[in-house]
Amino acid sequence: MVATAVGQSEPGDRRPGRLELERRDVISQRSWPTIAIVVAFLVIVPVAFLSVSVLRPNTDVWRQQWQTRLPGQLLDTAVLLVGVGFGALFLGTAMAWLVTAYRFPGSRVFGWLLIAPLAMPSYVLGFVTLSVFGFGGPIAGVWRSAFGDDAWFPQIRSMGGAIIVFTLVLYPYVFLLARTALAEQAGGAYAVARSLGASPGEAARRVVFPMLRPALAAGVGIVLMETLTDFATVQYFGVDTVSVGVFRIWRGTFDRDAAAEFATLVLVVALAVIGLERALRGKARFGEAAGKAAGVSATKLTGFKAVSATVACVAVLALSFGAPTAQLVMWAIDEATGSRGTPLVGRFLDFLGNSLVLATLTAVTCMIAAVVVVNAARFSRSRVTRWATRFTAIGYAMPGPVVAIGVVLALVALDDGLEAIGLNLPGVIATGSVLGLVYAYSVRFIAPGLNAVEAGLDQVSEEVTASARSLGTRPSSIIGRIHMPLSRASVLTGSVLVAIDAVKELPIALLLRPIGFDTLSVWTFNLASESRFQQASLPALAIIVVALVPVALLSRQLAQGPEIE
Amino acid sequence: MTSPLVVSNVVKQFGDVVAVNDVSIELQPGELLALVGPSGCGKSTLLRSVAGLLDIDAGAIELDGTLVDDGVRHLPPERRGAGLVFQEHALFPHMSVRDNVGFGLRGRSGSEAAARVAEMLDLVSLADFGDRYPHELSGGERQRVALARALAPGPGLMLFDEPFASLDHNLRVQLRLDVGRALRSTGTAAVFVTHDQTEALAIGDRIAVMRAGHLVQVGLPETVFHQPTDRFVGEFMGDASFLPVATSTGQISSALGPLRVDAGVDINSIVAMVRPDDVTFRASATGSATIVDRQYGGSGWLATARLGDGTDVLVATSHLDPPEIGSQGDLELLKGHEQVPVPLRHQS
């Protein structure tokens, strides 16, 4: 391999003494890949157990499912995903374009207010919509008294209704990514297109949206994952997806293996969604930011156009957040002043506490893991570390039912293992504990935390890290002195995103919670699934309030614009 | 005295690409070596390997007589004690200038560290800037802070990775002088990576030229400029023309006349190099050369003269004597200037 070059290899013969590394150097060099591998392993274990269960399929279960519900479930899943995907893509992109490319009364405020539905769980908007627009609801009542009992009225408890509800609560994911991309990247190309004579709309269609494709694909990817993970909202609307299938088998039979096999089906759909996202994204990753003032410059709207823009924003916000929240508040006041009272209201603080404990533990776990893994990738040169980091992010590819059933299988195996080595703990410790719940939540929600920490550390150039090291600072101390102070805002944002997800999370809580450990989301779901909508208002509002705190933090950051170095 | 840096047969690969291929260099104490080459030649990779930011695949690196990398074991950068300055200054944005410069001074008492910081800021003429933050500084000031920060712990070796590439010309010249002065006054040896041959010639005590992972020439600036090991080095180090050579009546010559070639050299593997300042253009209606192009450079003109056989020769002319495109004349070597026989390609 090495050809000796003429006249330049004389010093090659001298070899001073051996290179002896100190123990702590060796430990430091080896610990980064090790930590990254351990974290990746913990994330992958549940899905690995799940996949193994397919290797010994129970054909009876499959045959029975195939002959009964499965074909319909596959169809419903596909229709729902396609409908919500297009709905959120359209609504999110349109709103992002409206608030970025135009100035109209309230456009700045709407720029951050439009993410409010992030605080609204789909199962809450779902039951409020059903009770207001459903057959027995007030609107249908007024309609019937005006046009007669047989007058046509849209059936809200349907696939269409479910698609509308998911679109309204999930569009902010597309909106957020599109808005950021518009504000940071697409400005230069947009300005050039306009200077070449294109109208704003034409420049948007031909230049800006193709540039936004990676961001839009990522946003739609998240939306589809959130839709797939749900099995509460879809049940209200009578939509029978594969996730509902897992829930039904697990709750009906507690047959771990059958549920596991069904959960792999959900996983397959999730992988298909990821494949789709990658394909849509094409070779482009997120585009390069082209300097600081690279955002799309806004055109001022006047007259009718300006009013229409404001009305459109108000309408979206009202339908997705304002009106349902107002309805919940009215119900809650009713409940509080009425004689009937919310069932279990005495345990409200318990449920709230459970939700907060769970969210806090999950956020702390995820952020510690994310900070360690992302820093490991920076400090370690081995390819293994980079791969491990990438694997850690696949939690996001695993819908709630997949993670839940996978964690059950893993913890049962752990229980069995502990028993085998003579540690005979009662089974509930591993399988029915808050620890198991936090583990499942962390596997599921580490991805947003990881993304946030990665984005934060991207702000700190490799050269800054290298400079600190060459000045004699060890990696562990660089994290504390350089990396954390410089990425604090991102780490905070990440923990907040994880916490919102944890408070809103329902499927994993329903499947895995220890007996008696109910969260706000479980309480809400139990009441709403018995059609006690008005009584579900108090816990639902509590979830929205808790989730609003982090959303407000995020909004404030958006309102202030991008952080300047 | 031990050498501040010995690089022995270093090989660094990225997948199938050999970025640094069997490179050996030894630095003298206090010496500034300019490492120059086109982008992608491996110069930054070599520098980063010395700093410990990359692990080498084979060979050895010694700093001040201590082996820091033998291709198997790699001492981490924090234990190598080499000072680093990057193009993107890489200051810590959340720390004041004073804290940046003092960052590497842990283990010293407070007053000792403070004195050292003051001394360093003084060295880079930023004595009053201690309380400022990086975002309050100009590009040149940031780079001087980065220099002070890297010099503060008293490294045995300084490594510069294209430090001035993003600055404008005048600032670059000034900073070059500042760096030279700071290094001389502290007696620190340095490797200075640049793709700009003017910068390399101006700053280096010696120059090392790299191409495609190989070190093709190491020598004094004037040697590398006037006696390049091959046509690539000659071309890379500055404007030059290369004329084919042939033997006629026992005399080896080019279109510009005879040249001296060592015995035993295959004349088919060499060309004759002339720099634009070696030749003059004398207008004459019967001349064999035609001016086909010209560029104005302020202190003079750079003309392209095309010979009868189609060879282009660059000629420097005085600003008093603008070459007219299309004019004819003869090219002559200036008195005392010679054509240099240059191998087409160095064997490496």
Side-chain angles (χ1 to χ4, degrees):
Chain A
M1 179 175 65
V2 178
T4 306
V6 180
Q8 54 172 280
S9 292
E10 290 82 6
D13 303 329
R14 46 191 305 264
R15 280 286 153 99
R18 272 165 57 82
L19 168 55
E20 292 296 347
L21 294 175
E22 285 179 19
R23 245 178 81 83
R24 50 184 194 153
D25 292 324
V26 178
I27 291 171
S28 169
Q29 281 174 2
R30 291 203 185 136
S31 57
W32 293 111
T34 311
I35 291 169
I37 290 168
V38 168
V39 173
F41 177 78
L42 288 174
V43 170
I44 291 167
V45 157
V47 79
F49 270 98
L50 205 59
S51 308
V52 168
S53 75
V54 184
L55 296 180
R56 37 184 173 73
N58 183 337
T59 43
D60 286 348
V61 173
W62 283 115
R63 191 177 306 129
Q64 196 228 338
Q65 288 294 330
W66 187 250
Q67 284 163 357
T68 54
R69 293 172 169 272
L70 191 53
Q73 285 173 341
L74 287 173
L75 183 68
D76 271 14
T77 307
V79 173
L80 181 71
L81 289 180
V82 169
V84 176
F86 277 108
L89 177 65
F90 173 76
L91 193 58
T93 315
M95 291 332 257
W97 179 248
L98 200 58
V99 300
T100 323
Y102 299 102
R103 285 276 154 269
F104 52 89
S107 57
R108 268 174 206 287
V109 179
F110 288 123
W112 51 266
L113 212 52
L114 279 165
I115 66 164
L118 281 179
M120 173 71 68
S122 58
Y123 51 86
V124 172
L125 184 63
F127 83 70
V128 175
T129 307
L130 272 185
S131 70
V132 173
F133 293 99
F135 185 75
I139 309 271
V142 170
W143 188 269
R144 275 195 299 273
S145 60
F147 300 103
D149 281 352
D150 296 329
W152 180 85
F153 188 76
Q155 172 58 276
I156 197 73
R157 190 171 181 280
S158 64
M159 175 62 85
I163 289 175
I164 290 170
V165 163
F166 277 115
T167 299
L168 283 174
V169 290
L170 296 177
Y171 82 86
Y173 289 108
V174 178
F175 173 80
L176 255 180
L177 290 170
R179 187 180 177 279
T180 310
L182 282 172
E184 287 170 6
Q185 294 165 18
Y190 176 73
V192 171
R194 296 275 283 129
S195 77
L196 292 171
S199 68
E202 196 185 355
R205 201 181 66 247
R206 290 178 52 195
V207 177
V208 175
F209 292 132
M211 283 180 75
L212 291 189
R213 202 175 63 174
L216 297 181
V220 171
I222 299 173
V223 167
L224 295 183
M225 283 301 175
E226 291 291 317
T227 310
L228 183 60
T229 199
D230 173 89
F231 55 55
T233 317
V234 281
Q235 284 189 71
Y236 302 155
F237 284 86
V239 174
D240 198 14
T241 64
V242 283
S243 293
V244 176
V246 176
F247 180 69
R248 194 173 287 126
I249 292 176
W250 178 242
R251 285 324 245 193
T253 63
F254 280 95
D255 180 345
R256 271 202 302 273
D257 294 324
E261 284 173 27
F262 222 77
T264 55
L265 196 62
V266 180
L267 183 63
V268 169
V269 177
L271 293 177
V273 167
I274 301 235
L276 183 76
E277 189 223 319
R278 287 285 136 89
L280 284 177
R281 212 186 255 197
K283 286 214 171 109
R285 302 293 297 168
F286 283 100
E288 303 276 313
K292 277 198 175 133
V296 168
S297 56
T299 310
K300 198 168 159 56
L301 294 181
T302 50
F304 176 70
K305 283 185 177 172
V307 173
S308 311
T310 308
V311 167
C313 290
V314 170
V316 169
L317 213 51
L319 284 174
S320 60
F321 191 79
T325 308
Q327 175 70 72
L328 287 171
V329 169
M330 286 192 305
W331 279 338
I333 292 170
D334 242 27
E335 283 294 306
T337 52
S339 55
R340 194 170 39 159
T342 306
L344 300 175
V345 74
R347 293 194 56 208
F348 175 69
L349 287 179
D350 272 356
F351 297 146
L352 179 66
N354 287 345
S355 280
L356 292 181
V357 163
L358 210 48
T360 309
L361 287 177
T362 305
V364 168
T365 310
C366 284
M367 292 326 282
I368 289 175
V371 165
V372 167
V373 164
V374 170
N375 276 287
R378 164 127 335 168
F379 288 121
S380 162
R381 273 158 236 161
S382 72
R383 213 168 295 164
V384 178
T385 317
R386 234 153 278 166
W387 273 106
T389 311
R390 210 155 298 160
F391 266 110
T392 306
I394 69 162
Y396 128 94
M398 293 189 270
V402 173
V403 173
I405 302 295
V407 164
V408 167
L409 295 181
L411 293 180
V412 166
L414 180 68
D415 261 356
D416 293 350
L418 289 177
E419 206 169 316
I421 60 167
L423 270 171
N424 208 343
L425 303 165
V428 281
I429 287 192
T431 51
S433 68
V434 177
L435 222 58
L437 208 49
V438 171
Y439 176 33
Y441 271 40
S442 300
V443 168
R444 170 99 173 93
F445 297 132
I446 192 172
L450 211 56
N451 288 342
V453 177
E454 263 175 355
L457 201 56
D458 278 349
Q459 308 281 323
V460 185
S461 70
E462 298 270 355
E463 280 77 14
V464 165
T465 306
S467 296
R469 290 191 83 174
S470 74
L471 289 166
T473 315
R474 291 186 167 277
S476 49
S477 148
I478 291 176
I479 296 178
R481 292 179 70 194
I482 308 286
H483 291 177
M484 285 306 279
L486 288 178
S487 57
R488 203 174 40 206
S490 301
V491 172
L492 186 74
T493 310
S495 56
V496 151
L497 291 176
V498 173
I500 308 184
D501 280 344
V503 169
K504 286 160 67 181
E505 174 61 26
L506 179 62
I508 295 177
L510 272 180
L511 290 171
L512 279 190
R513 80 205 132 100
I515 293 159
F517 188 88
D518 283 359
T519 63
L520 291 176
S521 57
V522 173
W523 188 25
T524 310
F525 173 76
N526 284 343
L527 290 172
S529 58
E530 292 164 23
S531 297
R532 294 153 82 172
F533 300 133
Q534 185 159 338
Q535 296 177 326
S537 61
L538 185 62
L541 270 180
I543 293 173
I544 293 172
V545 168
V546 172
L548 261 182
V549 175
V551 171
L553 281 177
L554 193 62
S555 298
R556 216 183 57 175
Q557 218 179 352
L558 283 179
Q560 285 168 347
E563 215 176 317
I564 295 163
E565 131 179 80
Chain B
M1 253 181 122
T2 52
S3 163
L5 170 67
V6 180
V7 169
S8 316
N9 306 99
V10 163
V11 176
K12 172 68 191 170
Q13 288 181 275
F14 296 109
D16 292 337
V17 180
V18 187
V20 175
N21 197 343
D22 192 32
V23 168
S24 302
I25 305 174
E26 185 168 347
L27 239 64
Q28 301 305 312
E31 182 185 33
L32 202 169
L33 180 83
L35 187 56
V36 68
S39 54
C41 71
K43 54 190 190 302
S44 281
T45 303
L46 180 60
L47 188 93
R48 283 162 188 250
S49 302
V50 171
L53 306 179
L54 296 170
D55 299 337
I56 61 172
D57 296 315
I61 297 171
E62 284 167 59
L63 294 175
D64 268 327
T66 310
L67 186 62
V68 296
D69 200 332
D70 59 7
V72 181
R73 272 161 298 212
H74 323 280
L75 201 65
E78 58 268 23
R79 298 236 289 116
R80 296 196 183 189
L84 263 174
V85 178
F86 293 102
Q87 177 180 338
E88 303 299 339
H89 62 82
L91 296 180
F92 308 131
H94 59 307
M95 293 183 189
S96 66
V97 166
R98 181 171 291 115
D99 291 342
N100 263 283
V101 175
F103 189 86
L105 296 177
R106 274 161 318 131
R108 302 194 191 195
S109 76
S111 57
E112 210 180 297
R116 180 70 177 167
V117 169
E119 185 189 344
M120 287 300 115
L121 286 177
D122 213 32
L123 182 70
V124 295
S125 320
L126 288 174
D128 299 330
F129 286 63
D131 292 326
R132 301 227 192 149
Y133 279 82
H135 68 267
E136 300 172 304
L137 304 178
S138 71
E141 286 161 356
R142 289 179 193 177
Q143 214 42 293
R144 301 216 302 267
V145 175
L147 176 65
R149 180 180 68 178
L151 279 172
L157 178 70
M158 283 288 291
L159 302 168
F160 296 86
D161 194 359
E162 307 241 11
F164 313 141
S166 57
L167 303 175
D168 65 48
H169 178 77
N170 292 339
L171 198 53
R172 216 145 95 181
V173 172
Q174 181 55 48
L175 276 170
R176 221 184 266 162
L177 295 171
D178 291 346
V179 164
R181 195 167 41 83
L183 291 176
R184 269 193 308 279
S185 78
T186 53
T188 313
V191 178
F192 191 104
V193 162
T194 176
H195 66 272
D196 177 351
Q197 84 288 354
T198 329
E199 189 160 89
L201 290 169
I203 205 170
D205 293 324
R206 269 196 306 163
I207 290 185
V209 186
M210 282 186 77
R211 176 185 56 203
H214 291 277
L215 198 59
V216 280
Q217 190 169 12
V218 186
L220 299 174
E222 50 271 38
T223 311
V224 173
F225 188 76
H226 288 295
Q227 273 132 34
T229 45
D230 68 5
R231 181 177 170 150
F232 161 81
V233 176
E235 222 162 13
F236 185 77
M237 294 312 295
D239 290 329
S241 313
F242 299 90
L243 293 89
V245 295
T247 312
S248 65
T249 64
Q251 176 73 278
I252 300 171
S253 58
S254 77
L256 289 178
L259 70 160
R260 270 194 314 219
V261 178
D262 290 341
V265 172
D266 172 14
I267 66 156
N268 293 319
S269 69
I270 60 168
V271 282
M273 180 182 88
V274 286
R275 298 282 183 192
D277 60 311
D278 293 330
V279 280
T280 63
F281 178 78
R282 209 175 296 284
S284 141
T286 58
S288 60
T290 313
I291 302 293
V292 294
D293 207 350
R294 63 173 199 179
Q295 302 168 56
Y296 183 54
S299 58
W301 291 89
L302 186 64
T304 307
R306 183 160 296 164
L307 299 176
D309 63 356
T311 313
D312 284 345
V313 179
L314 292 169
V315 188
T317 70
S318 156
H319 66 282
L320 299 171
D321 184 19
E324 294 302 326
I325 288 181
S327 65
Q328 301 227 301
D330 290 307
L331 290 179
E332 285 171 20
L333 274 176
L334 282 167
K335 199 171 161 56
H337 294 244
E338 282 184 31
Q339 303 183 74
V340 184
V342 171
L344 285 168
R345 176 105 189 175
H346 178 70
Q347 285 91 35
S348 60

